[in-house]
Amino acid sequence: MGEDHQIAFLLREWAQPDPERRAAALKGLGRIGRAEHARVLAEAADDPDPAVRAAAALGLGRLGVPEAGEEALPALMGDADPDVRRRASAAAARLGLGGPAITRAFARLLSDPDHHVRINALDGLSALGVPGDVTALAALLGDPDPAVWGRARTLLYRCGEDPAVRAEVMRTALQGTGAARARALEGLPERCTERLLDSLLTALHDPSPAVRIQAARRLFPVEQQQVQDKLAAALRTEEHPEVAAGLLRGLGGVGDDRVTAPAVRWLRDPVAGPSAARALGTADPGTAAPHLRTVLTERRSPRTPGPPRPQPSGPPAAGTRCGSCCPSWTTPTTCSARACSTAWRHASRTASAPGSATPWPGP
């Protein structure tokens, strides 16, 4: 059967009452039809059956006639059926459509309940280089799907010169919730910290661990005593191991001796423990060694109960091993808290203290 005969057959099928046959005909016209058949696909956008409307959207994208797409696709992008919206938004992006009606349709789809539709909307707006609905776009920073929030973050970065985008990212950092606020805080440049200062101090006690982590990260470089006091107070009351690990790293890195008691408390935690060991060894080496030896002994004790191993009351003499903690003979030096800390990290079953994600450039 030649192509003309195939097209004639598909046009007859399009006139059938069975919606499955009509949908198949439209898909076929999208593959082998010509520009003059775009009218049939556009008219099918009003079909009562959603499968037919979805096929019309698919066919319009395949046929490659932008004029027909601009006429029919905006309405299909607002269809009640998610599959129709998915097909229509993908077709609009494939055709490279960018008129006002299409842009508004993409902007509305940023809040669509279907994550495939949100991805299509972000791809379409990214191709146009416009943010669409800036409030909805910034809210997508909190989307659970990395394919969604990653695209949203990239588009916010690309549109960072837009004053509306800058204002919305700042508003999200100040007043947002959960992951959206955390990612906004992560992305804003360091020069914004002063403006955010009061909000960051409050965020140290935010319900979201991700927000607390980002608030602490931005506050560590602030050389104000009240800020460092707030960080130390937050560490004393923190119950989440990943947040505690970040606070221990930050405060321990500057040698703040107020980390000592919290570090001892977190030593046995598989997530915060490595950071606690480093912080303790930096802030108070004399206290660190016995605590680290105790933890290592607990971790390396045999499964069969036996008499406890005698523990030295202080650092061993030169050329001796520090119980079970030192990884090698310490000749000619004695055991130190740093050596114990190194052994602790290697002995930990999980040394997974989380690191900060690579910040995206802020607007």
Side-chain angles (χ1 to χ4, degrees):
M1 182 185 294
E3 188 174 276
D4 289 341
H5 288 86
Q6 288 179 327
I7 292 174
F9 170 76
L10 293 173
L11 291 173
R12 289 195 299 272
E13 287 291 288
W14 157 239
Q16 299 301 315
D18 183 355
E20 291 186 4
R21 294 173 68 177
R22 295 202 305 276
L26 294 172
K27 293 175 184 177
L29 284 174
R31 284 193 297 269
I32 66 172
R34 294 186 284 269
E36 61 264 27
H37 300 121
R39 176 184 56 81
V40 176
L41 294 167
E43 291 174 356
D46 296 324
D47 194 278
D49 191 281
V52 176
R53 298 195 299 274
L58 178 64
L60 285 166
R62 287 174 172 173
L63 194 61
V65 181
E67 296 78 12
E70 289 176 352
E71 175 188 345
L73 288 175
L76 291 174
M77 291 167 73
D79 198 276
D81 188 89
D83 190 49
V84 177
R85 296 195 303 274
R86 192 181 309 140
R87 299 287 190 183
S89 55
R94 182 174 182 174
L95 291 171
L97 302 182
I102 292 291
T103 303
R104 288 193 298 269
F106 276 137
R108 288 193 300 270
L109 294 181
L110 291 174
S111 303
D112 197 275
D114 187 304
H115 80 281
H116 294 290
V117 176
R118 297 196 297 276
I119 289 173
N120 290 343
L122 288 163
D123 287 344
L125 291 170
S126 181
L128 298 174
V130 297
D133 182 338
V134 293
T135 302
L137 179 60
L140 289 181
L141 289 174
D143 196 280
D145 187 344
V148 175
W149 69 255
R151 284 172 165 84
R153 184 174 64 174
T154 299
L155 184 54
L156 286 167
Y157 168 77
R158 290 186 57 197
C159 300
E161 295 303 316
D162 186 330
V165 170
R166 292 201 301 269
E168 186 58 30
V169 172
M170 179 62 74
R171 188 202 68 78
T172 303
L174 287 167
Q175 304 171 12
T177 58
R181 185 182 186 188
R183 289 175 183 133
L185 287 171
E186 182 184 25
L188 285 171
E190 295 305 317
R191 66 176 180 272
C192 297
T193 296
E194 183 177 356
R195 180 177 172 185
L196 292 165
L197 187 57
D198 291 341
S199 174
L200 291 172
L201 292 173
T202 303
L204 289 174
H205 304 284
D206 191 90
S208 167
V211 172
R212 300 201 297 275
I213 288 171
Q214 291 303 324
R217 180 189 66 81
R218 297 191 73 99
L219 288 170
F220 288 134
V222 179
E223 296 179 354
Q224 295 182 21
Q225 189 59 47
Q226 64 158 344
V227 172
Q228 299 304 311
D229 291 345
K230 293 284 189 181
L231 288 166
L235 176 58
R236 285 196 299 271
T237 59
E238 184 57 58
E239 297 295 333
H240 193 284
E242 292 186 9
V243 184
L247 288 165
L248 287 163
R249 284 196 303 271
L251 290 171
V254 296
D256 192 320
D257 58 8
R258 290 173 292 184
V259 304
T260 301
V264 171
R265 178 165 68 93
W266 284 103
L267 269 179
R268 291 169 175 80
D269 187 86
V271 174
S275 296
R278 288 192 292 271
L280 193 58
T282 301
D284 192 350
T287 300
H291 283 294
L292 292 169
R293 284 196 295 267
T294 300
V295 173
L296 278 169
T297 300
E298 291 174 359
R299 287 180 175 270
R300 291 182 171 179
S301 59
R303 295 186 179 183
T304 303
R309 297 179 62 176
Q311 295 297 318
S313 58
T320 62
R321 286 178 65 97
C322 170
S324 62
C325 64
C326 290
S328 60
W329 288 92
T330 55
T331 305
T333 61
T334 60
C335 171
S336 68
R338 182 180 300 277
C340 292
S341 175
T342 301
W344 193 101
R345 291 198 299 272
H346 285 292
S348 297
R349 288 173 295 177
T350 308
S352 57
S356 299
T358 302
W360 54 279

